[in-house]
Amino acid sequence: MSLTDKEYYNLTISISKALSNVEMPIKVKHVRAAIIGTFHSNGGHAFWAIAIRQPIQDNRIVAWKFCHLLHKILREGHPLCCQHSMRHRAMLLEAGKLWGHLTDGYGLCIKHYTKLLVTKLEFHDRNPRIPGSLSLRQGDLEKIGEGDINIYFQLAVEIFDYLDDIVALQATIFNSITTFCVSSMTSAGQCRLAPLIPCIQDSNP
């Protein structure tokens, strides 16, 4: 199912508003619209077509919000979103490398976030039966492991690598909050802290 012109326009507006350059958390309604859009378009192609036109490499706030929005899309969007996002790994790493030179706190956060997102994409690419939300039903893990201890061991190693990236991002965010004396009660502080929610969800599915 493809999007109508009106649906594509509305999705463009929602993503553009979600990725505004105002230092405040992404509004839930814009995230929800983007997630629903992936189901209406059967994957992540429409999302990426719109997202890559945003000033991700021109504005650090937009880049940070993009990472957060993409994380939500990968977790809660259409099951094909992870697969459709694989081709954009280089773009993510490039953005992380670009902003990693910034010394205002956001730079390192973006660098670590893009690394986490690429790790997530590669994890799901190697383990396609594990959904983006990482939530498995009873019996699913046994099917994935196929009774082979080597598969379980490899999966455990990959999950620990994944968790390492989550911990690194969390530490970087808290360090930026402390170093630059940003209050968690302000919109600026909440903008930095908001991505911790999907990180917590990923680490405790």
Side-chain angles (χ1 to χ4, degrees):
M1 179 173 61
S2 59
L3 296 174
T4 64
D5 289 344
K6 183 177 181 180
E7 287 175 330
Y8 189 84
Y9 173 77
N10 289 336
L11 181 60
T12 301
I13 295 298
S14 294
I15 292 175
S16 297
K17 287 183 176 180
L19 303 183
S20 71
N21 59 9
V22 180
E23 194 174 10
M24 60 182 292
I26 299 177
K27 290 186 177 180
V28 175
K29 64 179 181 180
H30 299 319
V31 175
R32 187 187 305 117
I35 291 171
I36 292 173
T38 65
F39 285 96
H40 286 170
S41 60
N42 283 336
H45 291 317
F47 166 77
W48 276 103
I50 297 167
I52 59 177
R53 297 203 305 268
Q54 308 305 312
I56 295 168
Q57 296 194 349
D58 299 327
N59 187 287
R60 69 193 195 286
I61 305 299
V62 174
W64 180 243
K65 288 183 174 182
F66 166 74
C67 290
H68 184 194
L69 180 60
L70 176 59
H71 197 170
K72 296 286 286 184
I73 291 289
L74 296 179
R75 276 191 53 82
E76 303 171 30
H78 190 280
L80 288 175
C81 283
C82 287
Q83 180 183 328
H84 291 169
S85 299
M86 279 294 289
R87 68 179 65 180
H88 299 283
R89 285 176 299 166
M91 172 266 192
L92 288 170
L93 291 174
E94 184 180 339
K97 185 177 180 181
L98 171 70
W99 291 111
H101 299 293
L102 204 63
T103 57
D104 73 337
Y106 271 107
L108 280 178
C109 289
I110 294 169
K111 182 179 180 180
H112 281 286
Y113 210 163
T114 54
K115 184 176 184 297
L116 169 62
L117 291 171
V118 170
T119 297
K120 181 174 181 65
L121 288 174
E122 292 176 344
F123 173 82
H124 291 295
D125 185 55
R126 288 190 297 267
N127 303 282
R129 286 188 284 184
I130 298 179
S133 64
L134 298 174
S135 297
L136 296 174
R137 292 171 296 185
Q138 188 172 3
D140 284 352
L141 188 58
E142 287 74 14
K143 293 177 183 177
I144 293 169
E146 300 173 355
D148 188 337
I149 192 170
N150 294 308
I151 295 177
Y152 285 121
F153 178 78
Q154 182 60 35
L155 183 59
V157 170
E158 292 179 16
I159 288 174
F160 279 125
D161 288 341
Y162 193 169
L163 289 172
D164 281 343
D165 283 348
I166 291 176
V167 171
L169 174 60
Q170 169 252 307
T172 306
I173 291 173
F174 285 149
N175 186 56
S176 75
I177 291 283
T178 304
T179 302
F180 295 94
C181 302
V182 180
S183 171
S184 61
M185 302 302 291
T186 63
S187 60
Q190 291 168 8
C191 183
R192 297 189 191 213
L193 292 170
L196 289 177
I197 295 175
C199 287
I200 292 170
Q201 292 171 327
D202 271 1
S203 59
N204 186 30

